[in-house]
Amino acid sequence: MKPNCTNPEWIGRAKCAVCDVRNFVLFAGLSVPELDAILQPIDNLHAAPGAVLYEQGAPAPSVYTVRSGLIKLKVDLPNGCQRIVRLLRPGDVVGLEALVGERYHHSAIVLQDADICRIPREVVIRLDQTSPQVHQALLQRWQRSVDQADHFITALSTGSAEARMARLLILLGCTVTDSDFVFPSREDMGALLGITTETASRIVAEFKRRGLVHMDKGSYIGCDQGALSRLADS
Amino acid sequence: MKPNCTNPEWIGRAKCAVCDVRNFVLFAGLSVPELDAILQPIDNLHAAPGAVLYEQGAPAPSVYTVRSGLIKLKVDLPNGCQRIVRLLRPGDVVGLEALVGERYHHSAIVLQDADICRIPREVVIRLDQTSPQVHQALLQRWQRSVDQADHFITALSTGSAEARMARLLILLGCTVTDSDFVFPSREDMGALLGITTETASRIVAEFKRRGLVHMDKGSYIGCDQGALSRLADS
DNA sequence: CGTTATGTTGACCTCCTTCAAAGGCTGTGG
DNA sequence: CCACAGCCTTTGAAGGAGGTCAACATAACG
């Protein structure tokens, strides 16, 4: 068995040179020698749901890239409530604020079994300065964060609770490539959409009754994309 | 009268070397010779409320820096509604997506008399590659966009309409340095907070009755920051 | 001075929250 | 294997917050 990031058994030093997602994550475009020079401080992590990558307000020494799984970025509000402001999926970069600031702005928590690379900020800063490709990729990731935040405003924080839920399911449905996909908890759905847990539960239950989503014992099977899209545009 | 960006009469070629906001906008850190080399294609614009810098989906040739005034970024939703996803103020950069993409993602519209510099994307891209200071400033501006978007999610799209309005007034209150500050229309407030125009009007009227905000014929005078903060944290 | 946008207010009703209780799944220990 | 606790989901009932539609007031403007 050769060490390979795609092997779930293998945790530890990342081998980005043989990493399947290398081509669409941060280091796309680097040559193998370039990669070797910076691989040492990079760690590959496998995290189960509930694992915390970092906490809001904590010192920010590292940036993370998501190789598989699903991560939520959560903000604690002054009144004690919580709001999820982003969902991060394979190819996304987490904690970019580490490159320009001292502390993380959110708490990053694993929602679905995740394979993650942790990269010291100094490594990324140096690469950003020496490699035009990495630099360009970095700008694109930053813009991607902005786009995702905008999507949370326009799609998940606007309109009726039903329409928001339909849009969330469409967003999540895009990730259904592996069959072990599981729904977020109703509580997380509420925090994603700015509604209560009960309302989230009611709407999902109603969708199931209407045949818009199919699931067996909590695990996702499929959904009626057309009907959901119609609800989303209402 | 020497040509100076801070002179409202003077519109046209920007003289960033003598620009008062140079030190806190994009080109901070550049030497005067460096500035001279890239000033030619930069235009200084003075825009009245309602002016459109660019439209959502249009080709994106330029980036803008805000020297004074207030700009809104608006998104048109599939159902015909509109949502404001950001407010941009002096020191902010507008249309960063031009640097990594072909088209603008929002419509940028002037809310309050604005003084703006329009910079061709090629100029910024070149500076980004040649000047470490500009490069660093660019990353910070991008992160700032993310932070502002997050703030729209957590502060202006979460909680009761009353609490959102209080947070919006606090946000706007920070800009009250000049006395010609004017409130956004109730319609814009609704689009900012994800509520209807009528609800926005009701809440503002109620705030005025309760003495939380003071205004004379639509022009802002002052507000009770303490009481607003208490409402915002409810 | 009429005309048109914008702000305000009322009445009604829908949607969502709140509080409460019941049902289901999982793990643990007897 | 069963009993029980704990957590999450579901559902109910009541109330309130906000949307909708309409009328009216006020300011802006030619």
Side-chain angles (χ1 to χ4, degrees), chain A residues 83 86 128 135 150 158, chain B residues 83 86 106 128 135 150 158:
Chain A
R83 185 82 204 251
R86 219 144 317 140
D128 172 49
H135 174 61
D150 286 344
T158 305
Chain B
R83 185 82 203 251
R86 220 146 313 141
H106 325 91
D128 172 48
H135 174 60
D150 286 344
T158 305

Side-chain angles (χ1 to χ4, degrees), chain A residues 77-79 83 85-86 97 100 105-106 128 135 139 142-143 146-147 149-150 152-154 157-158 233-234, chain B residues 77-79 83 85-86 97 100 105-106 128 135 139 142-143 146-147 149-150 152-154 157-158 233-234:
Chain A
L77 302 174
N79 60 8
R83 185 82 204 251
V85 299
R86 219 144 317 140
E97 63 261 43
V100 296
H105 295 180
H106 325 91
D128 172 49
H135 174 61
L139 297 188
W142 236 305
Q143 179 58 37
V146 176
D147 291 339
D150 286 344
F152 262 68
I153 300 173
T154 57
S157 302
T158 305
D233 289 348
S234 72
Chain B
L77 302 174
N79 60 8
R83 185 82 203 251
V85 299
R86 220 146 313 141
E97 63 261 42
V100 295
H105 295 179
H106 325 91
D128 172 48
H135 174 60
L139 297 188
W142 236 305
Q143 179 59 36
V146 176
D147 291 340
D150 286 344
F152 261 68
I153 300 174
T154 56
S157 303
T158 305
D233 289 347
S234 72

